[in-house]
Amino acid sequence: MSEETKKGFFRSIMDKIAGGESGAEESASFLDRLKNGLEKTKKGVVEKIDILLLGKKEIDASTLEELEEILLTSDIGVKTTVELVRTLEQRLGRSELKDGHALREALEEEILKRLLKHHTSLKTDEKHPFVFLILGVNGVGKTTTIGKLAARYTATGKKVLLAAADTFRAAASEQLAAWGERSGVDVIRHKEGADPSAVVFDACRAASARDVDILLIDTAGRLHTKVNLMEEMKKIRRVIEREIPGAPHETLLVLDAATGQNALSQARLFKESAGVTGIALTKLDGTSKGGIVIAASYEFGIPIRFIGVGEGIDDLRDFDPEEFTEALFQS
Amino acid sequence: MFDSLSKKLEAAFRKFRSQGVMTEENISEGLREVRLALLEADVNFKVVRDFIDSVRKKAVGIDVLQSLTPGQQIVRIVHDELVSIMGGGEDNSLNLALKPPVAIMMVGLQGAGKTTTCGKLAKYLKKEKRRPLLVPADVYRPAAIQQLKIIGGQLGIDVFDSQADDKPQDICSAAIRFASLNGFDTVILDTAGRHQIDDYLMNELAEINSAVRPAEILLVADSMTGQEAVNIAVGFNERLDITGVILTKLDGDARGGAALSIKAVTGKPVKFVGLGEKLDALEVFHADRLVSRILGMGDLLTLVEKAQSVFDEKESARLAQKLKKNRFNLEDFLSQLQQIRKMGSLESIIGMIPGMGKMMKQAQGDQPSEKELARIEAIIRSMTTAERGDHTIINGSRRLRIAKGSGTTVPEVNQLLKRFSEAQKMIKQLQKLGPKGLMKGMGGFGKRMLPF
């Protein structure tokens, strides 16, 4: 655990803003940071696999079965696990995999392949303003993710505007305003209980008028099964589309890394009704299972854009499949 | 999912239908399906393994009952076994019979729903004739203190005036003193979200615990949590010796298998479940109902109970009388509508009816939404008393006036009137059948919906 986290979330952010850590240092330590964040994930999946495969000269069916258990326990999901194990089984049948080491490499390869399948990076420079619509179920970290994104884009010299379209939860817009204050970013907000579409309308108008580069729209947490709330989402989208043609340019679904199989249901339903184009995976620092990231992206063809690997303001990073897999499998 | 589990089990057992006794071999295929179903419901892997073993032991050698297929019987054993693990029949009420003020500490990960649940619990306790004080002790998340203050304001419950630059330990101790001086008998401590592996923040909780000595330490857990639930539960339980669990966000489509894992590894009972964003969406936990949920059987009992607590008995009697005499008019329709809306959102009600979860997904387009209900209400409210009493007098110009008055269109008014007269006709037909006929009609319905 780093010094910063020990100081607590709030204070470490304040320190960061006051101290203004240099960018070079940050990127140099990024792999370490990611590794630290993923430490738990690694211990979960990889160490168990290592223990299982250590010194095994021959791979048999029961080893594969145990491997299946390990993958399942990592929230990778029944479908993906069965697929992975079946692929390994086939390769085993072709005598490609002789020992534990080869099997581990093959597994790494297969996982990377799945992560790369839908991976594309986000180009925020191509549109002006570039509009992010952030959504997800309750309590996954939408507002925090927006706070981090705002700080990040502000740091690269972009003009950012926040829209507090969560008018339902008590003090949600105050929470976003606190984040805005920290990065010196304007926040468009209405009273609690106001129509979120009205906030979005104002925000879109303001974004164009103020010549903003990035507009980040925060929405209320909604369970994907609530038809009326999903309809509200569609209305918000319609307003954005009307005000800024082509927007939202990125509809970002925020997923909590501790979520189990339900993340797949969230990904499916949010994609169907809100046209999700990317995933931000949060709270990856506290859980030992990173598995859902593979399943959610692979099964629904949604690229993973960002991962949150810590509580600091710059612990939200671009998702890099190679780096991710490397960190996951490094021993 | 239960439907599909039943079907899968049926298929697995079809070949053994002629056999009267369950053996190791003929149940293994079925148990594999049960195992997958539980894994898909996010029950922890180890818990599933132990569970399947115990079901196997129970099932082997049992005579298949005449009226059941082996598949149904396995499902029954699975169901009963799950209920007993979840502590069916155990006492899971709050232990508040101590010298006041009694403290309840809420702990959990970020985003589990602690602050909202604090509000719900305060409302619940107020209903139980206690005098709760809400204490915001989350000094880390921006605006968390304000959130609880707003919730307290909405509920008319006092909130301790914490400041974000105070230490959580000091806030909690001060709040207890404040409570005993001002006659509050229950203190609800809303702590900040934290990971169970965060030593610094876990120490903070341990310090609050030793300073305040709460009667209840409740772990607030998201029902969507996956395999990680075990680590979370063990982490918090080891440091704090929690007294119970509150399972949140069960109004979604999560199976809530995490609850089973938590109960299995800590032995601590689930005391409440959160079923929505509204502040009255908190219910006392019932093991059998959660098991039905895990297996996807719906939750009819909760619905019945909810209906009983909300429906005004006199009003219901009056309606029944009217139905009997076949004088059900739009006025009654409106009051019925309002009673239903008191039970919560339509979606949550429909979700509790077995089989409806699936149907809802299929028929997402044509089921009446909350909004539609509001529109119906507006239309009826725009009618005169005479019109409500006898809808046949509503002619073209009346329709136009009603549409204008309710901000709707004439076709919408027409549609409502058409639906209403259809409903009236149906009631008439049911009347003819009498109570027995009614049961017959419903019986077939129920049988199809419930697996045993």
Side-chain angles (χ1 to χ4, degrees), chain B residues 352-408:
Chain B
M352 282 179 219
I353 304 170
M356 285 303 270
K358 216 179 223 168
M359 276 165 68
M360 206 163 115
K361 258 186 212 155
Q362 288 165 351
Q364 239 169 21
D366 39 66
Q367 52 145 334
S369 65
E370 281 288 288
K371 245 189 203 160
E372 208 170 321
L373 285 185
R375 206 175 297 141
I376 291 172
E377 213 180 307
I379 292 174
I380 299 178
R381 282 191 188 285
S382 298
M383 294 175 184
T384 62
T385 322
E387 284 165 350
R388 288 184 213 181
D390 180 9
H391 71 282
T392 52
I393 63 164
I394 305 179
N395 57 21
S397 76
R398 281 179 194 261
R399 280 171 208 223
L400 190 63
R401 193 206 76 242
I402 293 165
K404 276 184 180 162
S406 56
T408 55

Side-chain angles (χ1 to χ4, degrees), chain B residues 47-344:
Chain B
V47 178
V48 171
R49 197 162 46 197
D50 293 349
F51 176 74
I52 294 292
D53 282 346
S54 84
V55 170
R56 181 178 289 122
K57 273 189 207 118
K58 286 235 162 93
V60 169
I62 279 187
D63 291 331
V64 177
L65 292 175
Q66 287 250 312
S67 54
L68 296 175
T69 64
Q72 285 171 329
Q73 195 152 354
I74 283 273
V75 168
R76 178 158 219 161
I77 296 169
V78 167
H79 180 271
D80 293 350
E81 194 68 16
L82 281 176
V83 171
S84 90
I85 291 182
M86 282 314 295
E90 278 174 31
D91 178 32
N92 60 355
S93 57
L94 290 174
N95 168 32
L96 300 176
L98 297 168
K99 182 177 167 284
V102 186
I104 301 172
M105 181 157 96
M106 310 284 264
V107 299
L109 297 190
Q110 292 94 338
K114 285 176 298 301
T115 307
T116 306
T117 307
C118 281
K120 290 179 181 178
L121 191 63
K123 182 167 187 197
Y124 170 85
L125 290 172
K126 198 178 166 191
K127 221 169 153 189
E128 303 272 291
K129 305 265 181 284
R130 296 190 73 93
R131 191 159 176 247
L133 173 72
L134 285 166
V135 181
D138 180 355
V139 299
Y140 305 107
R141 182 164 62 91
I145 293 177
Q146 203 167 352
Q147 186 185 349
L148 196 63
K149 284 181 180 169
I150 292 173
I151 288 175
Q154 285 167 356
L155 294 170
I157 287 169
D158 289 275
V159 181
F160 186 70
D161 189 24
S162 316
Q163 300 301 326
D165 41 13
D166 291 342
K167 268 180 76 181
Q169 294 91 319
D170 299 340
I171 292 176
C172 294
S173 307
I176 298 288
R177 278 194 299 278
F178 178 83
S180 58
L181 286 175
N182 292 280
F184 293 97
D185 54 14
T186 320
V187 179
I188 301 173
L189 307 171
D190 179 27
T191 64
R194 65 203 74 213
H195 288 308
Q196 75 280 3
I197 51 162
D198 187 333
D199 281 333
Y200 177 82
L201 287 176
M202 289 304 281
N203 271 336
E204 180 191 290
L205 281 186
E207 277 173 36
I208 296 177
N209 185 20
S210 52
V212 175
R213 288 277 149 225
E216 291 275 355
I217 301 176
L218 300 175
L219 174 67
V220 180
D222 187 331
S223 59
M224 292 180 276
T225 313
Q227 302 285 325
E228 178 71 357
V230 163
N231 298 339
I232 297 168
V234 169
F236 276 97
N237 195 38
E238 272 176 4
R239 288 299 290 272
L240 298 166
D241 192 19
I242 59 169
T243 60
V245 178
I246 298 183
L247 202 60
T248 59
K249 302 179 209 172
L250 254 184
D251 48 331
D253 61 351
R255 294 283 165 207
L260 190 68
S261 312
I262 295 173
K263 179 76 204 310
V265 296
T266 63
K268 300 298 165 65
V270 179
K271 300 206 167 178
F272 293 95
V273 293
L275 287 165
E277 293 181 87
K278 290 185 182 150
L279 288 168
D280 53 3
L282 184 78
E283 282 166 17
V284 172
F285 174 74
H286 295 277
D288 47 343
R289 300 182 197 175
L290 183 86
V291 169
S292 303
R293 244 175 234 269
I294 290 178
L295 296 174
M297 285 160 50
D299 194 358
L300 213 54
L301 275 174
T302 307
L303 178 65
V304 170
E305 215 166 69
K306 222 172 180 180
Q308 274 168 352
S309 77
V310 170
F311 272 95
D312 187 342
E313 256 173 56
K314 262 191 207 156
E315 179 64 29
S316 303
R318 195 182 67 83
L319 266 180
Q321 202 58 34
K322 282 222 157 186
L323 279 176
K324 231 181 201 167
K325 288 186 188 152
N326 196 22
R327 283 214 307 259
F328 184 70
N329 61 25
L330 278 162
E331 187 80 52
D332 307 317
F333 186 61
L334 181 66
S335 79
Q336 200 188 27
L337 205 68
Q338 281 162 341
Q339 291 215 0
I340 289 175
R341 290 187 75 186
K342 259 194 264 172
M343 285 162 65

Side-chain angles (χ1 to χ4, degrees), chain A residues 15-85:
Chain A
D15 288 356
K16 284 245 166 88
I17 289 167
E21 244 177 275
S22 77
E25 252 180 54
E26 267 171 47
S27 55
S29 66
F30 170 49
L31 195 63
D32 288 338
R33 197 192 296 271
L34 182 63
K35 257 190 270 168
N36 281 340
L38 287 173
E39 192 64 19
K40 288 296 286 179
T41 319
K42 218 186 80 191
K43 272 195 187 134
V45 192
V46 182
E47 259 177 40
K48 272 189 261 171
I49 294 176
D50 276 346
I51 291 166
L52 171 66
L53 300 178
L54 196 70
K56 283 226 168 133
K57 290 274 180 265
E58 261 175 55
I59 307 300
D60 50 20
S62 76
T63 313
L64 278 178
E65 211 164 278
E66 275 176 69
L67 196 64
E68 184 190 52
E69 285 194 11
I70 293 167
L71 291 173
L72 275 175
T73 324
S74 314
D75 279 327
I76 281 178
V78 177
K79 200 176 145 203
T80 314
T81 298
V82 169
E83 260 178 31
L84 277 172
V85 169

Side-chain angles (χ1 to χ4, degrees), chain A residues 58-328:
Chain A
E58 261 175 55
I59 307 300
D60 50 20
S62 76
T63 313
L64 278 178
E65 211 164 278
E66 275 176 69
L67 196 64
E68 184 190 52
E69 285 194 11
I70 293 167
L71 291 173
L72 275 175
T73 324
S74 314
D75 279 327
I76 281 178
V78 177
K79 200 176 145 203
T80 314
T81 298
V82 169
E83 260 178 31
L84 277 172
V85 169
R86 196 164 295 152
T87 314
L88 291 177
E89 245 168 359
Q90 281 167 0
R91 293 178 65 164
L92 203 65
R94 294 197 297 267
S95 325
E96 280 176 35
L97 311 172
K98 289 270 184 282
D99 53 12
H101 184 70
L103 183 66
R104 218 193 84 171
E105 261 178 15
L107 183 66
E108 187 177 334
E109 213 177 278
E110 291 296 331
I111 288 177
L112 183 61
K113 207 158 87 188
R114 279 162 174 74
L115 287 172
L116 279 171
K117 178 129 192 263
H118 302 288
H119 181 68
T120 50
S121 56
L122 203 56
K123 295 190 179 63
T124 52
D125 292 327
E126 285 175 359
K127 298 285 185 304
H128 185 86
F130 190 95
V131 182
F132 278 93
L133 179 64
I134 316 286
L135 40 89
V137 301
N138 316 62
V140 287
K142 285 178 295 300
T143 309
T144 307
T145 302
I146 289 176
K148 290 178 181 175
L149 280 174
R152 188 188 142 126
Y153 286 122
T154 309
T156 58
K158 292 203 190 274
K159 189 169 179 192
V160 179
L161 183 69
L162 306 181
D166 180 356
T167 54
F168 181 82
R169 207 199 69 201
S173 74
E174 280 83 354
Q175 189 183 345
L176 194 68
W179 279 106
E181 228 165 84
R182 280 178 217 166
S183 317
V185 167
D186 287 344
V187 181
I188 303 292
R189 48 191 285 209
H190 285 193
K191 259 190 266 157
E192 203 180 303
D195 182 358
S197 305
V199 181
V200 169
F201 176 85
D202 282 355
C204 289
R205 285 285 164 99
S208 307
R210 298 181 198 178
D211 196 27
V212 159
D213 298 309
I214 307 264
L215 171 61
L216 295 161
I217 301 173
D218 189 16
T219 62
R222 64 199 72 226
L223 290 177
H224 45 294
T225 50
K226 308 239 155 158
V227 179
N228 52 343
L229 292 178
M230 294 308 257
E231 287 300 319
E232 181 188 271
M233 195 79 242
K234 287 183 191 161
K235 185 180 172 194
I236 292 174
R237 270 196 79 103
R238 279 199 300 275
V239 171
I240 302 172
E241 277 162 22
R242 201 176 55 217
E243 291 308 309
I244 302 176
H249 307 101
E250 175 73 353
T251 306
L252 197 62
L253 173 66
V254 182
L255 289 179
D256 183 334
T259 308
Q261 303 293 297
N262 197 252
L264 301 181
S265 171
Q266 291 170 26
R268 190 180 66 241
L269 290 175
F270 272 111
K271 194 187 174 194
E272 274 170 16
S273 58
V276 167
T277 53
I279 291 174
L281 190 74
T282 59
K283 308 185 201 173
L284 203 57
D285 52 328
T287 165
S288 59
K289 331 282 190 231
I292 206 68
V293 79
I294 304 162
S297 166
Y298 184 68
E299 286 187 22
F300 301 103
I302 311 170
I304 304 152
R305 308 287 196 191
F306 305 102
I307 53 172
V309 293
E311 299 198 313
I313 198 158
D314 48 24
D315 285 335
L316 184 80
R317 291 292 177 157
D318 282 332
F319 177 75
D320 180 335
E322 274 107 22
E323 216 160 33
F324 183 86
T325 318
E326 194 187 326
L328 196 71

